[in-house]
Amino acid sequence: MDIRLKLTGARRGAKVPESKITAGSPIEPLPLPEKVIIPMQQHIGAENAPLASRGTEVLTGQKIGESEKFISAPVHATLSGEISGGSVVINPPTGELTKTLAITSDGADKWVELTIAKDPKSLSVKKIIEMVKEAGIVGMGGAAFPTHVKLQPPKDKKIDSVILNGCECEPFVTADHRIMLEYGEQVLSGLNIIRKALAPQNVYIGIEDNKEDAIEHLEELISKSDFARDFKIVPLKSQYPTGAEKTLIEVILGREVPIGGLPMDVGVVVQNVGTAKAIHDTIFEGKPLVERVVTVTGAVKQPKNLLVRIGTPLRNLIEYCGGMEEGANEIILGGPMMGIAHFDLDFPVTKGTSCVLVRESAPVKEQECISCGRCLGVCPMRLMPTLLTKYAKTGRYDAAEEAYVNNCVECGSCAYACPARIPIVQYIKVAKKELVKRKANK
Amino acid sequence: MTEEEEATPQEEATAEEAPKEETPAEAAPVKEEAPAEAEAISEAEAIRQRFLISAAPHLKSWYSTSKIMYLVVAALLFPTAAAVYFFGFYALTVCAVAIVSAVATEWAVKKLRGRPFIMDGSAVLTGLLLALILPPTLPLWMVAIGAIFSIAIVKEAFGGLGFNIFNPALGGRAFLMACWLAATTTLVAPMGFTWDAVTTATPLGLSFVPPADTGTLYWNLFLGNIGGSLGETSVLAILIGGGILLAVGIISWHIPVTYIGTVALLTLIWPGQDPLFHVMAGGVMLGAFFMATDYVTSPITIKGKIIFGIGCGLVTVIVRILGGMPEGVCFSILLMNALTPLIDRYTMTKTLGLKSLKRASSEG
Ligand code: SF4
Ligand code: SF4
């Protein structure tokens, strides 16, 4: 049986320039910062309560934030030192405010004692899930949804397929690409743990064909391994947004996730390659999630892929890459299609930060829709973005709901393609928020 | 780029005004933070001066409205060149007058309505399109009136680009036809490079009955060496221009192919009609590639475009063979323009997951 399946691709999507300038740059560890800022909420779900306060001495890997809620993930100290204060920042995946704890390093990077399972291979599913939760692992692709929740679907949802998402369809970002090349064994081992937890019949690894070297590398590792022989690599045509969960499921399995539904409704769980590596590190090395790979790219002097402690201020990353180019006027957390613009250089890297993109950009002026149909042609969800925009603009939110505005994944393909430069995603977000508000008021 | 760097945050804010105001949390993360010292405030202020906070996606495709418009204009240069070649330099003056009148009208209307005038190329395009569907000998003042009507009434009175229901160029021509039927339907024989437009009756006349010698006729129709409107006669030039638009993805094949295909098929099965002649003579070619494909006035979905194209073809043939008018292209497209909102309503796309949702609800 072949490990590599036939090349397939999504029918809709935008042809966005890839600009993966750091694809060939090996991951470099960023020197430890003097200070880290740990937001209590870095995921989608409930905010953690701080377990430490000003003056507390903490060790690297020590849990400093926790919540009782099911959908949450604890946070850990990523340096050893003293808690030196706290403030409030925005949590990129939710746009909500969250408290932070700042840790001033003692320079020693003393770790907590890591407890490694005696026989990691024979762990029970319950134990795996517990360890993943304790380690604070979340989806590392950007959405930052707590991973342990995805690993324990409700009893009535039978999971028959797991898809490892190595698409990385966002332009510029190369973190997952480098992870697959440099930590391939760990990724496969983490994926094996995921398989153990969910017991699916099929395991797929979806990788876009602009990462042929990663496909070949994983293919070779799989053929040599003793546990991964039945993993299937699916090469995908490079196109944005093939890596969006619902699109990926449609392309690989031909299944449509119902409107308002989750991948598990069609028997699928999708995990990101970075998440798989984090799971490996936890199960086999006992490490909680304290660092991640971040691509620093765009208008910086030396674009790089960095291994960064979570909580490191953006300033450190950008300075390590030689600083910003003259004229750079935009900093984006995440890729250019879905990332969020930021201008606070003290903002910390969080669990979901895959990329820091520095850009020189110009404000654009919104014009009237000319009904060119480009937005329809690229929408992976087969929506009519222009119509949704019109409804949102005129306040007809019910009509927007009937046109399935909530099915939009906010991938940005439509606004990318729009010649009238209409910020379609913004209008859609407004409609969605308005609908949520109305539901709450009912 | 210097211009953009100098843009103050206030200016940036206006560029994004509406949506930004409504999503404050995302747009201005630093506002909520309380900088501890005065120093921090000034630093934050300095950063705010420097950085742009725009909404995702941060990339924009190369195609903008004005680039699209000018690309269509560029593609129309082929039929325009053919018009000059066959009908003389007077054709150029017709084009120039139409374009200048169109742009000037747009500017004036925007001024009157207190709206910003954007040189997005749409008025240039309307002017040129109008010129190309006028007869080569039309007095220039009539050309100007047509262009003014196109922009002021057909386009701006409906709200401007993006809101007009009818194709402005076709609307302008229809208006001229209604006012001066004879002048607008006179067919002129090609006279080559000359300033003198000589009104000569052509063998084609006003009927769509092909003459006996079809061999040379087809050839002349293909090249454009035949009487007709300025830019409509040369099938070759239109195919080059239309081919470019298809190649760069500005138009899709759906409307031209279904339109021309319907005309060909219908005249093939209609006794006594010559499909090749019907397709190449008159305005079908120019209409199918450049008029019916107008974004604003044609359906947005693929299904809708196919229905639209077939409708245009049907009406064109019916008007030509059964109707009292000499040509049905203009009328057919205008009619289908009027039906476009209806077609759009019934050809909405089915969003991903709708199938499984329906299945689930019918099972449950
Ligand atoms: S409507 Fe939503 S899902 Fe469709 S292209 Fe736009 S952002 Fe993406
Ligand atoms: S891409 Fe923009 S201009 Fe074209 S139909 Fe969509 S919203 Fe309108």
Side-chain angles (χ1 to χ4, degrees):
Chain A
M1 282 245 282
D2 283 344
I3 294 164
R4 180 201 282 241
L5 302 184
K6 260 213 335 268
L7 179 76
T8 60
R11 255 177 301 152
R12 279 155 189 258
K15 297 263 176 304
V16 183
E18 289 166 7
S19 317
K20 306 244 185 202
I21 40 185
T22 49
S25 323
I27 299 168
E28 293 175 41
L30 180 75
L32 295 183
E34 277 162 21
K35 189 178 166 180
V36 288
I37 297 147
I38 312 289
M40 286 298 114
Q41 187 190 17
Q42 306 183 23
H43 51 268
I44 293 178
E47 189 182 6
N48 293 305
L51 298 175
S53 56
R54 190 187 276 264
T56 316
E57 295 281 338
V58 292
L59 297 173
T60 310
Q62 184 181 332
K63 187 155 73 176
I64 55 168
E66 190 176 40
S67 164
E68 314 235 290
K69 296 272 164 52
F70 178 57
I71 301 185
S72 70
V75 291
H76 301 79
T78 59
L79 282 179
S80 61
E82 191 188 317
I83 306 273
S84 54
S87 66
V88 174
V89 296
I90 210 125
N91 174 29
T94 60
E96 284 158 15
L97 293 173
T98 176
K99 287 198 271 306
T100 67
L101 285 178
I103 303 168
T104 304
S105 172
D106 58 10
D109 192 27
K110 282 195 294 289
W111 279 71
V112 288
E113 206 180 314
L114 301 178
T115 44
I116 303 169
K118 268 189 228 89
D119 185 7
K121 296 225 163 88
S122 58
L123 283 176
S124 69
V125 172
K126 201 164 150 249
K127 184 76 187 150
I128 291 173
I129 289 168
E130 195 189 305
M131 288 178 77
V132 167
K133 171 161 188 179
E134 272 305 296
I137 298 174
V138 301
M140 309 273 283
F145 190 78
T147 300
H148 70 94
V149 180
K150 272 186 164 185
L151 291 183
Q152 39 186 332
K155 286 263 148 39
D156 59 322
K157 310 273 185 214
K158 271 256 145 311
I159 301 300
D160 62 48
S161 302
V162 161
I163 300 176
L164 187 71
N165 189 349
C167 288
E168 202 164 48
C169 54
E170 272 268 9
F172 286 99
V173 192
T174 55
D176 287 351
H177 185 180
R178 294 311 307 182
I179 289 174
M180 286 189 281
L181 284 177
E182 296 177 42
Y183 300 110
E185 290 92 346
Q186 286 94 320
V187 169
L188 293 179
S189 146
L191 180 56
N192 199 36
I193 302 281
I194 296 169
R195 164 163 67 181
K196 194 151 183 216
L198 292 165
Q201 283 95 317
N202 306 303
V203 179
Y204 300 98
I205 305 175
I207 307 176
E208 284 195 346
D209 65 352
N210 58 2
K211 292 179 266 294
E212 180 59 34
D213 51 352
I215 298 178
E216 273 165 21
H217 181 61
L218 290 187
E219 203 179 357
E220 200 193 313
L221 290 180
I222 289 174
S223 68
K224 284 196 207 137
S225 81
D226 49 358
F227 60 84
R229 292 293 183 77
D230 56 342
F231 291 0
K232 298 269 173 278
I233 298 180
V234 191
L236 301 160
K237 280 194 208 104
S238 307
Q239 176 174 280
Y240 187 83
T242 302
E245 273 191 348
K246 292 180 178 180
T247 312
L248 195 60
I249 293 168
E250 190 197 15
V251 175
I252 294 185
L253 295 168
R255 298 183 197 165
E256 293 192 9
V257 177
I259 297 167
L262 291 170
M264 62 174 69
D265 293 330
V266 289
V268 187
V269 165
V270 181
Q271 295 282 4
N272 165 274
V273 292
T275 315
K277 175 182 179 281
I279 291 174
H280 166 90
D281 292 351
T282 295
I283 303 289
F284 289 89
E285 292 168 27
K287 276 192 192 166
L289 183 56
V290 294
E291 57 188 7
R292 68 157 298 144
V293 179
V294 181
T295 302
V296 183
T297 185
V300 288
K301 300 249 163 61
Q302 300 133 23
K304 289 180 196 303
N305 295 299
L306 301 175
L307 184 64
V308 180
R309 288 287 163 88
I310 285 155
T312 307
L314 301 182
R315 186 188 304 277
N316 293 44
L317 279 68
I318 292 171
E319 270 164 20
Y320 186 74
C321 293
M324 286 187 248
E325 297 274 5
E326 192 86 6
N329 61 354
E330 192 169 38
I331 301 174
I332 295 157
L333 292 186
M337 297 299 282
M338 292 183 77
I340 295 163
H342 241 277
F343 52 71
D344 181 5
L345 288 173
D346 291 321
F347 191 83
V349 166
T350 63
K351 293 176 183 176
T353 311
S354 56
C355 178
V356 176
L357 171 62
V358 179
R359 261 167 46 96
E360 179 177 338
S361 76
V364 291
K365 209 156 183 73
E366 179 182 351
Q367 295 169 348
E368 290 301 339
C369 169
I370 52 169
S371 305
C372 68
R374 281 182 166 71
C375 52
L376 270 76
V378 298
C379 178
M381 302 308 290
R382 298 200 296 267
L383 290 161
M384 300 187 66
T386 168
L387 199 67
L388 299 175
T389 305
K390 269 173 207 160
Y391 290 150
K393 270 188 182 178
T394 50
R396 284 184 283 161
Y397 301 116
D398 295 331
E401 191 175 22
E402 274 162 37
Y404 303 107
V405 68
N406 285 320
N407 210 23
C408 165
V409 296
E410 297 173 17
C411 69
S413 304
C414 50
Y416 168 80
C418 177
R421 307 305 189 216
I422 300 171
I424 301 172
V425 185
Q426 293 300 94
Y427 285 114
I428 286 177
K429 283 186 186 166
V430 169
K432 282 184 177 175
K433 268 193 196 147
E434 206 50 50
L435 286 168
V436 170
K437 239 191 263 167
R438 285 189 187 183
K439 289 248 158 64
N441 288 345
K442 254 177 211 163
Chain B
M1 278 290 154
T2 41
E3 237 183 326
E4 287 132 15
E5 276 168 45
E6 277 163 20
T8 64
Q10 285 86 336
E11 273 165 9
E12 283 149 19
T14 35
E16 297 245 337
E17 207 171 25
K20 205 178 133 184
E21 274 177 3
E22 278 161 295
T23 50
E26 208 175 27
V30 147
K31 260 187 208 153
E32 283 85 357
E33 257 177 300
E37 301 124 81
E39 246 172 73
I41 295 174
S42 64
E43 197 201 4
E45 204 43 54
I47 289 170
R48 209 174 300 203
Q49 297 278 333
R50 175 164 182 191
F51 290 107
L52 181 73
I53 298 295
S54 62
H58 306 275
L59 294 182
K60 298 281 175 195
S61 76
W62 179 84
Y63 291 98
S64 66
T65 303
S66 57
K67 279 186 190 140
I68 290 173
M69 296 296 168
Y70 286 120
L71 274 172
V72 181
V73 169
L76 277 175
L77 291 182
F78 292 94
T80 309
V84 176
Y85 181 78
F86 290 114
F87 298 107
F89 291 108
Y90 186 73
L92 264 190
T93 45
V94 172
C95 294
V97 167
I99 291 172
V100 170
S101 315
V103 174
T105 311
E106 171 132 328
W107 181 83
V109 174
K110 291 281 186 214
K111 265 265 128 81
L112 281 176
R113 292 175 64 200
R115 300 273 167 83
F117 168 72
I118 313 164
M119 191 62 198
D120 59 13
S122 65
V124 175
L125 178 57
T126 297
L128 184 56
L129 271 176
L130 175 68
L132 293 181
I133 49 175
L134 294 176
T137 52
L138 198 72
L140 293 179
W141 61 271
M142 279 195 203
V143 175
I145 288 181
I148 292 168
F149 185 86
S150 288
I151 297 292
I153 306 299
V154 189
K155 188 172 155 197
E156 291 300 327
F158 284 91
L161 183 66
F163 296 100
N164 50 311
I165 293 174
F166 297 104
N167 184 315
L170 288 175
R173 181 184 141 119
F175 175 74
L176 289 177
M177 262 175 84
C179 299
W180 300 282
L181 184 65
T184 44
T185 49
T186 316
L187 292 176
V188 184
M191 66 294 271
F193 285 110
T194 164
W195 280 101
D196 316 302
V198 189
T199 315
T200 322
T202 69
L204 183 67
L206 291 179
S207 81
F208 272 88
V209 182
D213 181 12
T214 48
T216 42
L217 174 75
Y218 288 152
W219 187 237
N220 282 336
L221 280 170
F222 184 70
L223 291 179
N225 190 18
I226 197 116
S229 300
L230 276 182
E232 286 180 349
T233 56
S234 175
V235 173
L236 177 64
I238 295 166
L239 283 179
I240 295 174
I244 291 173
L245 293 189
L246 280 171
V248 297
I250 290 197
I251 59 172
S252 68
W253 59 268
H254 304 92
I255 291 178
V257 167
T258 49
Y259 189 168
I260 296 168
T262 306
V263 170
L265 209 70
L266 209 60
T267 48
L268 186 71
I269 53 173
W270 201 303
Q273 299 296 332
D274 177 353
L276 214 51
F277 181 78
H278 268 282
V279 167
M280 294 205 291
V284 168
M285 277 289 166
L286 191 74
F289 279 99
F290 289 94
M291 302 283 179
T293 53
D294 173 36
Y295 290 151
V296 179
T297 57
S298 68
I300 198 162
T301 61
I302 289 173
K303 240 194 272 168
K305 286 184 182 19
I306 291 171
I307 296 172
F308 185 89
I310 294 174
C312 287
L314 277 176
V315 179
T316 301
V317 172
I318 290 170
V319 170
R320 275 184 177 180
I321 300 177
L322 303 176
M325 274 189 276
E327 170 64 305
V329 172
C330 177
F331 176 75
S332 70
I333 299 176
L334 286 173
L335 182 77
M336 294 310 289
N337 285 164
L339 292 179
T340 292
L342 199 70
I343 297 175
D344 270 340
R345 181 153 351 132
Y346 288 103
T347 54
M348 297 229 247
T349 56
K350 297 208 171 28
T351 185
L352 186 97
L354 194 59
K355 259 195 293 182
S356 21
L357 185 80
K358 290 238 165 96
R359 209 181 301 135
S361 61
S362 65
E363 274 169 15

